Amino acid sequence: MKLRFSVGLLLVALVLSGCSALSNNTPVMLYLAMVIGKDDRISSDTQKDARQRVDLIVSSFQKLYPNVQVQLALYQRSQLISELRRRNAADLGPDLVLTDAQQAKDLLREGLTDPLPQTERNRVQTDPGLLKQVRLNDGRLAGQPLVMFPQIACFNTQVIQKPPKTLNELLEVGAAGARVGLPANMDEVLWTAGSLNALPALAAASRNQDLSAEDRDRITGWLTWLQQASNQRNITFFENQGQLTTLLGKRELDWISCTSDMLFRLRDQLGDDFGIAPLPNGPEAPAAPVHLLRVLALGRDSSSSQRSMAIALSDFVTNPLVQRNLSLLSMSFVPVNPDVMIPTKSSKTLAALEQALESSQVQIDNLSVIDQDGPLSRRMTNLLIPLVFGVSQPNTNTDELIQILNQGS
């Protein structure tokens, strides 16, 4: 195994550089600006998580380029653009930016990053649908898709031995005494609209299409379920998935929806008591997980050697061998390279991640048209919060939600 891996790395080196990278002894420092989870705060836990994830990539890359070091700086998503403006003005901008697809496009539009060179390699080694997510209307690539973190269910196996497979079973788990946490954020709770078969109606509203009476009933039924779930004794809605992750790690909740970028932290906190599973389906449709795509974008202030190494790193991470080994080592993400097969039979964790990906693919067209991280999403969240606390009613909220979605077309 070690021999095959070493040979594979050598082949990667030859493909990427055309010559032996090991002969280059000139030190190169790459500065990486990494955005933490949007619900996270910068802390010792997030620093540790980030360093673990980055080290998985960098340690392999350094086998090819031992002269390269990577210095990591963490940023909150809401502060990244202003921080990059300030640093770029002083010619101190990062060489690489690791963020989500939408923000990568925003950075390129703002002139805070450079477009990624479009090569045959990144075309072949990246799922076409994911490249589409980082391509601007003018054709420029805002970054290289790196990994995808599926939305899944995380739970304490000491309390829940058999994770719920349906929404009804989730309610039963709560009724039996397990503490269930759900997010009130629209994009983070949207998966339940898939389970209740309301997502096609929401997508039709987002396309500004005329809705039938049945479509409206689907949306109302989904909102009613959210409100009724909130009325259950052991089911509680929280501001976001970041809060849910913190409470599960402290054993103050027993089941939550989460994204797999939190698995490093939760494994450390819960140890052998930590379990994951696909999100519960509904009676007529599967859950619609909203996945987190991480993207590597190119900074603007790199020297020629830094730019060369930054592009080499973006090429390196999509190599099939690298994607497969990173997936196996991290047990937390799905590869972006379509040729990488995940050995799901060898791991329940990888099987759950793969199933989450397959569920979202069923609804990918509907998910893609709903604003999930912008002003409309925030307005929808502001609509859901009073709903789940019983202040507003599903029938009224249905009309208001449709109006908000219409504005996204």
Side-chain angles (χ1 to χ4, degrees):
M1 175 65 75
K2 289 183 179 179
L3 178 59
R4 290 200 300 271
F5 184 69
S6 298
V7 171
L9 286 175
L10 179 58
L11 290 174
V12 173
L14 294 173
V15 169
L16 292 180
S17 64
C19 59
S20 175
L22 299 178
S23 63
N24 187 355
N25 294 317
T26 304
V28 178
M29 176 66 74
L30 294 180
Y31 294 89
L32 171 63
M34 179 176 177
V35 172
I36 61 175
K38 66 179 181 180
D39 302 327
D40 267 337
R41 296 180 178 179
I42 297 176
S43 65
S44 58
D45 283 339
T46 53
Q47 292 276 3
K48 181 179 179 181
D49 283 353
R51 191 72 255 177
Q52 283 181 310
R53 280 182 252 164
V54 170
D55 282 348
L56 281 176
I57 299 170
V58 172
S59 60
S60 296
F61 187 67
Q62 286 173 330
K63 290 181 172 66
L64 307 179
Y65 302 99
N67 56 312
V68 175
Q69 298 293 322
V70 176
Q71 182 171 314
L72 175 66
L74 298 187
Y75 294 90
Q76 289 186 314
R77 188 182 190 279
S78 60
Q79 298 176 1
L80 179 67
I81 288 181
S82 61
E83 284 295 315
L84 288 192
R85 284 184 183 138
R86 183 179 64 83
R87 294 187 68 86
N88 283 5
D91 294 328
L92 295 173
D95 303 297
L96 288 162
V97 180
L98 180 56
T99 185
D100 58 80
Q102 182 57 54
Q103 187 164 60
K105 291 191 289 187
D106 292 341
L107 292 172
L108 184 55
R109 292 190 189 101
E110 291 275 341
L112 296 173
T113 57
D114 283 341
L116 187 78
Q118 302 190 46
T119 66
E120 180 68 12
R121 187 179 301 116
N122 61 28
R123 186 188 69 80
V124 172
Q125 294 187 167
T126 311
D127 183 278
L130 300 182
L131 277 179
K132 184 179 178 180
Q133 291 186 40
V134 294
R135 192 183 302 278
L136 269 59
N137 291 336
D138 60 14
R140 291 180 297 165
L141 285 180
Q144 171 60 56
L146 174 63
V147 294
M148 190 156 47
F149 294 108
Q151 188 181 26
I152 51 175
C154 297
F155 59 96
N156 185 334
T157 60
Q158 280 291 321
V159 180
I160 301 174
Q161 287 78 40
K162 184 180 178 182
K165 294 183 179 180
T166 67
L167 289 182
N168 282 339
E169 289 180 6
L170 180 62
L171 298 179
E172 291 170 0
V173 163
R179 298 161 297 179
V180 174
L182 291 170
N185 260 350
M186 175 65 175
D187 59 320
E188 295 170 343
V189 78
L190 190 60
W191 67 268
T192 58
S195 301
L196 292 162
N197 206 18
L199 192 59
L202 294 173
S206 189
R207 297 185 182 103
N208 214 9
Q209 298 171 350
D210 291 333
L211 300 187
S212 65
E214 183 181 0
D215 289 332
R216 288 178 175 271
D217 288 344
R218 293 283 187 188
I219 296 174
T220 302
W222 170 54
L223 297 177
T224 301
W225 185 90
L226 292 175
Q227 189 173 76
Q228 291 177 345
S230 182
N231 290 332
Q232 299 290 317
R233 184 179 62 179
N234 288 317
I235 298 180
T236 308
F237 280 79
F238 293 85
E239 183 179 353
N240 53 55
Q241 288 186 164
Q243 285 186 331
L244 297 178
T245 302
T246 297
L247 292 172
L248 178 64
K250 293 180 177 179
R251 299 176 184 263
E252 295 176 19
L253 286 174
D254 305 312
W255 186 101
I256 65 170
S257 62
C258 63
T259 47
S260 65
D261 60 328
M262 294 290 104
L263 298 193
F264 275 108
R265 186 185 312 175
L266 289 171
R267 287 188 191 116
D268 284 344
Q269 294 171 322
L270 295 178
D272 293 339
D273 296 339
F274 178 56
I276 75 165
L279 290 164
N281 297 319
E284 300 178 23
V290 177
H291 303 322
L292 175 62
L293 177 63
R294 285 296 190 183
V295 175
L296 268 179
L298 297 176
R300 300 205 63 184
D301 294 329
S302 301
S303 66
S304 60
S305 59
Q306 288 171 322
R307 173 56 57 87
S308 176
M309 286 298 99
I311 292 175
L313 180 58
S314 70
D315 281 341
F316 173 82
V317 294
T318 57
N319 179 273
L321 177 66
V322 175
Q323 287 266 303
R324 185 179 187 277
N325 279 283
L326 290 177
S327 178
L328 292 173
L329 288 171
S330 72
M331 290 288 182
S332 64
F333 70 78
V334 176
V336 300
N337 188 316
D339 294 329
V340 177
M341 301 298 294
I342 302 174
T344 54
K345 292 183 179 180
S346 65
S347 167
K348 291 182 178 180
T349 296
L350 292 177
L353 297 181
E354 178 73 5
Q355 187 173 336
L357 181 64
E358 291 175 356
S359 294
S360 69
Q361 291 300 315
V362 174
Q363 297 276 20
I364 189 65
D365 290 339
N366 291 328
L367 285 171
S368 64
V369 299
I370 297 175
D371 176 67
Q372 295 172 16
D373 193 27
L376 293 184
S377 180
R378 289 189 286 274
R379 288 179 59 191
M380 288 186 280
T381 295
N382 291 336
L383 187 73
L384 292 183
I385 291 173
L387 171 80
V388 298
F389 289 107
V391 176
S392 60
Q393 296 305 314
N395 284 326
T396 302
N397 287 146
T398 296
D399 292 334
E400 295 175 354
L401 182 56
I402 291 171
Q403 289 177 7
I404 295 173
L405 287 165
N406 286 165
Q407 295 171 22
S409 59

